[in-house]
Amino acid sequence: MTHAAPQFETRLAKDDADMRASQHLRYRVFVDELGGDGADVDHKAQLERDGFDPYFDHLILLDHARAASEGQVVGVYRLLRGDAVPDGMGFYSEGEYDLSPLKASGRRLLELGRSCLHPDYRGGSAMFHLWQGLSSYVDAHGIEVLFGVASFHGTDVAALAQPLSLLHHRHLAPPALRVRARPE
């Protein structure tokens, strides 16, 4: 079977259909592929979602060459600007980290999360297009610091030692911006 060349568009989700399509892609990746679950995961509708979704911008990558029945949303990034955090609610990351150094920095912050690509689009130009969309968003909002949580598959510390060591030695935040994990 021959597939048409991708026809990518990157934009923010603009309606419930876009949101559901992004949550469906997240379900496919985070639940079906990686075995994730959670209180707000809707297995019947195959939607990976949580209470933070309504407050985030959802950057989506569409492939208009893909049949609508297959789902045209092939990439997702969930974004929350520091100036858009609702009163009484913190960043998603604050559930695991003390973000005081970031919040006290006075810099324009952007939390990134729930990033994923459809399996058929990994290793190609799709990630480039998604990052271009993210770059445009960062530029448009004058963002200075990007942060977020990321998950590693599994809990075997020995198996994760190499990637964690690389992050520590090459990508550790400067001391003034360095957050700490919450003890719990």
Side-chain angles (χ1 to χ4, degrees):
M1 182 170 164
T2 305
H3 290 73
Q7 297 173 18
F8 291 126
E9 174 192 4
T10 306
R11 63 172 169 77
L12 294 179
K14 58 185 176 187
D15 56 27
D16 287 340
D18 284 348
M19 179 67 78
R20 288 179 65 81
S22 70
Q23 292 170 335
H24 180 70
L25 176 61
R26 288 169 23 192
Y27 185 93
R28 180 170 183 176
V29 173
F30 299 128
V31 178
D32 284 347
E33 273 188 61
L34 300 175
D37 202 1
D40 295 324
V41 171
D42 183 340
H43 293 286
K44 186 175 180 183
Q46 295 187 335
L47 302 175
E48 193 280 336
R49 59 186 179 190
D50 66 21
F52 286 87
D53 278 341
Y55 305 103
F56 278 71
D57 284 333
H58 298 264
L59 181 66
I60 57 176
L61 175 67
L62 298 102
D63 178 0
H64 292 294
R66 190 175 169 89
S69 62
E70 294 179 325
Q72 292 182 324
V73 173
V74 298
V76 177
Y77 246 120
R78 191 167 82 166
L79 313 170
L80 181 60
R81 297 185 324 272
D83 62 351
V85 176
D87 289 339
M89 186 177 125
F91 289 105
Y92 176 87
S93 303
E94 286 183 278
E96 297 180 38
Y97 295 92
D98 174 6
L99 300 183
S100 299
L102 286 178
K103 293 167 77 173
S105 72
R107 294 185 169 176
R108 295 186 58 82
L109 305 175
L110 179 64
E111 182 176 41
L112 306 160
R114 296 297 206 270
S115 172
C116 62
L117 281 175
H118 186 285
D120 293 347
Y121 291 81
R122 297 177 194 154
S125 64
M127 195 72 219
F128 171 79
H129 287 277
L130 196 55
W131 281 345
Q132 285 294 104
L134 177 59
S135 176
S136 295
Y137 185 95
V138 165
D139 187 50
H141 294 285
I143 300 299
E144 298 173 85
V145 177
L146 289 75
F147 70 97
V149 296
S151 300
F152 286 90
H153 195 64
T155 57
D156 180 356
V157 176
L160 300 174
Q162 187 176 11
L164 291 173
S165 179
L166 175 78
L167 288 172
H168 176 80
H169 291 289
R170 293 195 184 163
H171 303 288
L172 197 60
L177 297 177
R178 198 169 299 156
V179 302
R180 300 268 181 221
R182 293 194 179 280
E184 64 277 8

